[in-house]
């Protein structure tokens, strides 16, 4: 345990009535690492993300975020921690009564941490910067309902990264999108990972998403996605998990995933 | 309730809610107030004239309106308009995971959503009640003067002089209590909404029904307390 941890689960279990949503889940993430979680619908991927964010409380086990034991944290204790994390919800999770600018500015203006620190200056510039990052600066005054599904996810990414969090959680960012838009979204996540060096926990059921994250990198000078070298960089620090019925049934690299023999795990390897 | 005093305070949200709940209800509250006074004046004047007590019309209208009718009618109106509005707004946010998003973005939804609505209702409902009471008295005067030829001073002097401090206190405590009921019931059912859009509909209906029932139960008990204090 030489490197500092950013997230650790120790035998975490959670049941919804009689159904196990998480079953003895254990793993750890270090700064700069990308973890891709594959799994069928209902396998517990989103539950894992929500538990990592403190939106759900585990029945048993222990959770550590940024080295702090948060298992028994109360809601107010979570607020400063969540300010250091970013989340992209499956459908974007945007506030439909707010404009895009207000949505992206939300964590800067409304979080308990932002209010306590009273650092509300430069909000407009930060919002523009985040929207420029996802190439949507022209949508500042629009409402979420005026945008397409892919654009809403891109705004969601802008909102997730506007506070420059150390850990970003992505809940099925490409679900329900056409292949071109899905590629755009993953490219933005790659760009975010390689420019801000944040750790990422990405839940998906599409093999291509994980493959891109593990094999490609963002080149800041060309502004393009290109094949990553095998020797280092964030792409090489990508690990893969596979979940089935609340259990973590696989943990390893892309090569190990490709070589997996388990019939369930193999389904996510191509 | 302790959230009212806990930081952070979302002052801008309180002002927005005061505008929605208070100013948004103003016109309809004025109409209800005026017409309840007109109706009371019409019904009471006939009965009082039978006993030769038409001169007491101002007193009867003011006591009935300020103690009971004004607060209850305004509260029922605001419950129908705003408890439902609060429940449906928060319910929609709940079922579309916007409340989870709020928590995930480091905001306390109780502080951000519930407290501003509670404070805004607690401030605006007593003010709306005062406006409705005054217009009700004006309505009673219109009937008394134009239909039953009651002079100005014969209506307004008893209406003012016979009012005890306890009557005014009762008429102020009630809207404050009703405001807490309306805001908390609306927020409670909104924040607990499950079951998609159908669930939002259920939450809205329950918020109106439950807050209306509690308004009647509470007005009885507050009335009983004031009667025993006299």
């Amino acid at each position: 345990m030489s490197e500092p941890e950013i997230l650790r689960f120790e035998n975490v279990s959670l049941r919804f009535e009689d159904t196990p949503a998480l079953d003895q889940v254990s793993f750890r993430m270090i700064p700069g690492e990308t973890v891709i979680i594959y799994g069928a619908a209902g396998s517990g991927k989103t539950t894992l993300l929500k538990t990592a964010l403190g939106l759900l409380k585990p029945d048993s086990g222990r959770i550590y975020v940024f080295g702090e034991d948060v298992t028994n944290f109360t809601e107010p204790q979570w607020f400063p921690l969540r300010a250091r994390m970013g989340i992209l919800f499956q459908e974007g999770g945007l506030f439909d009564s707010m404009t895009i600018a207000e949505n992206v500015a939300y964590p800067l203006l409304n979080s308990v941490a932002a209010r306590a620190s009273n650092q509300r200056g430069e909000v407009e510039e930060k919002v523009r910067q985040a929207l420029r990052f996802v190439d949507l600066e022209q949508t500042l005054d629009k409402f979420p309902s005026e945008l397409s599904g892919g654009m809403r996810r891109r705004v969601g990414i802008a909102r997730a990264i506007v506070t420059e969090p150390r850990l970003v959680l992505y809940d099925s960012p490409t679900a329900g999108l056409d292949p071109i838009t899905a590629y755009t979204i993953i490219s933005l996540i790659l760009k975010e990972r390689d420019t801000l060096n944040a750790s990422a926990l990405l839940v998906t059921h599409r093999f291509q998403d994980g493959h891109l994250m593990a094999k490609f990198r963002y080149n800041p000078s060309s502004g393009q996605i290109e094949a990553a070298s095998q020797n280092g960089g964030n792409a090489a620090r990508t690990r893969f998990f596979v979940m089935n019925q609340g259990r973590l049934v696989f943990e390893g690299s892309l090569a190990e995933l490709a070589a997996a023999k388990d019939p369930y795990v193999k389904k996510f390897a191509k | 309730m302790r959230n009212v005093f806990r930081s952070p305070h979302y002052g801008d949200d309180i002002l927005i809610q005061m505008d929605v709940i208070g100013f948004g209800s103003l016109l309809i509250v004025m109409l209800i107030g005026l017409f309840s006074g007109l109706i009371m004046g019409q019904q009471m004047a006939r009965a009082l004239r039978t006993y030769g007590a038409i001169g007491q019309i101002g007193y009867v209208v003011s006591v009935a309106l300020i103690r009971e009718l004004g607060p209850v009618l305004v509260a029922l109106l605001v419950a129908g308009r705003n408890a439902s509005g609060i429940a449906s707004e928060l319910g929609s946010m709940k079922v579309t995971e916007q409340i989870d998003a709020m928590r995930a973005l480091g905001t306390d939804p109780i502080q951000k959503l519930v407290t501003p609505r509670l404070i805004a209702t607690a401030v605006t409902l007593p003010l709306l009640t005062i406006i409705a009471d005054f217009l009700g008295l004006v309505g009673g005067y219109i009937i008394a003067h134009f239909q039953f030829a009651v002079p100005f001073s014969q209506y307004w002097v008893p209406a003012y002089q016979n009012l005890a401090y306890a009557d005014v206190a009762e008429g102020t405590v009630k809207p404050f209590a009703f405001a807490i009921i309306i805001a908390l019931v609306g927020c409670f059912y909104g924040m607990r909404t499950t079951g998609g859009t159908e669930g939002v509909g259920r939450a809205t209906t329950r918020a109106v029904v439950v807050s209306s029932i509690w308004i009647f139960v509470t007005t009885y008990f507050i009335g009983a307390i004031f009667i025993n204090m006299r």
Side-chain angles (χ1 to χ4, degrees), chain B residues 15-33:
Chain B
L15 291 176
I16 290 168
Q17 290 305 319
M18 283 170 80
D19 179 50
V20 171
I21 297 165
F23 193 71
S25 308
L26 186 59
L27 188 65
I28 193 160
V29 160
M30 287 168 74
L31 275 172
I32 292 281

Side-chain angles (χ1 to χ4, degrees), chain A residues 29-30 32-36 193 198-202 213 234-235 237-240:
Chain A
M29 270 181 84
I30 54 171
E33 194 174 34
T34 302
V35 169
I36 312 291
R193 180 192 70 183
S199 308
L201 189 62
L202 189 147
M213 296 295 288
N234 290 325
R237 301 174 78 182
T238 303
R239 280 192 299 145
F240 291 81

Side-chain angles (χ1 to χ4, degrees), chain A residues 50 53-56 75-76 79 82-83 85 87 89 93-96 106-107 110-113 115 120 159, chain B residues 6-13 89 92-93 96-109 112:
Chain A
K50 287 189 172 179
L53 260 176
L55 300 180
L56 294 172
E75 190 74 0
F79 294 132
R82 288 182 191 142
M85 301 160 88
I87 170 90
F89 283 93
L94 301 180
F95 303 117
D96 50 18
Y106 190 89
N110 291 287
S111 72
V112 172
R115 291 257 165 176
R120 299 172 73 179
R159 188 177 66 179
Chain B
R6 211 180 70 196
S7 288
H9 300 289
Y10 295 93
D12 36 0
D13 289 289
E89 188 184 355
S92 302
M93 290 182 76
T96 54
E97 291 193 316
Q98 290 179 52
I99 289 181
D100 270 352
M102 207 168 257
R103 290 171 64 203
L105 294 168
T107 312
D108 183 350
K112 175 77 179 160

Side-chain angles (χ1 to χ4, degrees), chain B residues 66-67 163-173 226-227 229-230:
Chain B
I66 288 166
R67 272 191 205 162
L163 267 185
Y165 283 117
D167 297 323
V168 179
E170 189 176 343
T172 314
V173 168
F226 274 92
I227 287 168
M229 282 165 56
R230 277 173 221 278

